Amino acid sequence: MRVVVLGAAAGGAFPQWNSNAQPCRRARAGDPAAIPSTQASIAVSADGHHWVLLNASPDIRQQIEQTPALQPQEGLRSSPIAAVVLTGGDVDAITGLLTLRERQAFSVLATPRVHQVLDDNPIFEVLARGIVARQPVVLDTPTPVTLPDGEASGLTVTLFAVPGKVPLYLEQPGAAPALEESDQTVGAAVSDGRATLFFVPSCAAMVPGLAERLRGAEAVFFDGTLWTDDEMIRAGLGPKTGQRMGHMSVSGPDGTLAAFAGLEVKRRILLHINNSNPILLADSPERAEVSAAGWDVAYDGMELTL
Ligand code: MLT
Ligand code: MN
């Protein structure tokens, strides 16, 4: 199984369009320790020819242009992208679908709840339903991904609930949304029958069932949004904690590094990294700390073979 990180950053990317904070300034200035990153998505292939995307980021057009394997290989119009699997309804996970219009066949796999978000937003009808199949996926059910011609892709995806909240634009004004484990925020396990890769770009807490699912895994991409829960408040960038945004932090006793200690996951890779998170900076003490703990920080163009 081949894996390419198309984008490693959280919503807003790095640098974010309206951020003048120092890390974004460093990225814009070409500082080699502050490499720009697009919004989180990975591509997976069993055969090296047909690719399944996990989430469709708003940066998908740039990601395709940066990734030769995803560019048309034959005829006047074609695409190696066979399917898109969605792990939630957030803007940074779904809006790349709008770029994939132009009557190209592929399928969109998501839970019924996430499909409902697409169904409720008529702009997604630009993906003509007779051409782009909307395939509901039942939680905890291994689902083979098929190519547009009906052949097997060689990949099977299993979606599973993780603690999360409704997308930002569906929150009720004035009230913090409840965190729930349901089919609105999910992780994906992708298998080619030999290796299994986990992709969990958004997760509000490490709950026991999730820990057991990930225990001993070969490779996990995990929510690396914030270093500390209140970093955006302390930096003056916004009023919300990471918990309020549905994300657990990388550091601290309830953080991701601590949660994975003892899970014996072989490749641990942080992804969906907010532009306020110092692990994006190669020369930061926080980056040194995650490296010392045996984690990788994903970057655009990172490749894995499992
Ligand atoms: C998040 O991951 O918290 C969301 O993508 C935020 C957003 O919609 O920008
Ligand atoms: Mn996000």
Side-chain angles (χ1 to χ4, degrees):
M1 175 158 52
R2 285 181 59 196
V3 184
V4 181
V5 174
L6 304 180
F14 180 57
Q16 176 173 307
W17 74 279
N18 65 344
S19 177
N20 200 28
Q22 204 219 12
C24 290
R25 293 165 66 104
R26 287 179 64 182
R28 288 198 183 95
D31 184 331
I35 302 294
S37 178
T38 61
Q39 292 164 82
S41 174
I42 66 171
V44 185
S45 178
D47 61 10
H49 298 293
H50 304 94
W51 291 82
V52 175
L53 305 194
L54 298 187
N55 289 338
S57 124
D59 300 318
I60 195 168
R61 183 185 169 282
Q62 177 183 345
Q63 293 168 341
I64 291 168
E65 295 309 318
Q66 289 171 352
T67 312
L70 297 185
Q71 296 163 9
Q73 313 285 328
E74 57 195 27
L76 282 177
R77 288 203 175 186
S78 65
S79 173
I81 298 172
V84 178
V85 177
L86 302 175
T87 62
D90 280 343
V91 167
D92 58 348
I94 66 173
T95 50
L97 290 174
L98 299 175
T99 298
L100 301 182
R101 63 197 186 280
E102 318 294 3
R103 302 187 71 77
Q104 185 67 45
F106 66 99
S107 49
V108 179
L109 286 78
T111 66
R113 179 98 165 251
V114 173
H115 273 301
Q116 192 64 52
V117 172
L118 304 182
D119 292 345
D120 288 345
N121 282 276
I123 195 168
F124 290 102
E125 301 305 321
V126 292
L127 299 175
R129 288 177 187 257
I131 294 173
V132 177
R134 299 191 185 194
Q135 185 180 343
V137 174
V138 178
L139 288 184
D140 301 313
T141 306
T143 303
V145 181
T146 51
L147 305 177
D149 64 6
E151 295 288 309
S153 72
L155 295 174
T156 299
V157 66
T158 306
L159 300 182
F160 51 90
V162 300
K165 67 166 184 67
V166 288
L168 182 59
Y169 55 88
L170 293 178
E171 291 183 7
Q172 298 300 318
L179 292 178
E180 57 178 73
E181 270 179 82
S182 71
D183 69 345
Q184 82 185 346
T185 305
V186 302
V190 183
S191 174
D192 66 353
R194 289 170 301 162
T196 300
L197 168 85
F198 288 88
F199 178 76
V200 186
S202 185
C203 181
M206 180 61 81
V207 289
L210 178 59
E212 285 321 303
R213 189 185 291 273
L214 300 179
R215 183 179 296 282
E218 195 163 343
V220 177
F221 285 92
F222 201 81
D223 184 344
T225 308
L226 299 182
W227 176 251
T228 50
D229 195 46
D230 63 351
E231 80 188 30
M232 295 194 59
I233 299 170
R234 281 190 295 109
L237 293 170
K240 288 184 188 168
T241 62
Q243 272 297 294
R244 172 64 185 78
M245 296 188 294
H247 299 290
M248 60 192 284
S249 305
V250 176
S251 68
D254 299 323
T256 300
L257 300 189
F260 275 73
L263 290 188
E264 291 172 7
V265 174
K266 291 179 195 67
R267 293 259 353 228
R268 305 181 293 281
I269 305 163
L270 293 161
L271 155 146
H272 191 279
I273 305 161
N274 196 52
N275 50 73
S276 60
N277 188 336
I279 66 170
L280 280 173
L281 302 171
D283 57 3
S284 68
E286 293 84 357
R287 169 70 75 87
E289 193 173 330
V290 297
S291 299
W295 285 76
D296 285 311
V297 175
Y299 55 88
D300 294 22
M302 181 183 195
E303 295 194 27
L304 260 64
T305 302
L306 296 178

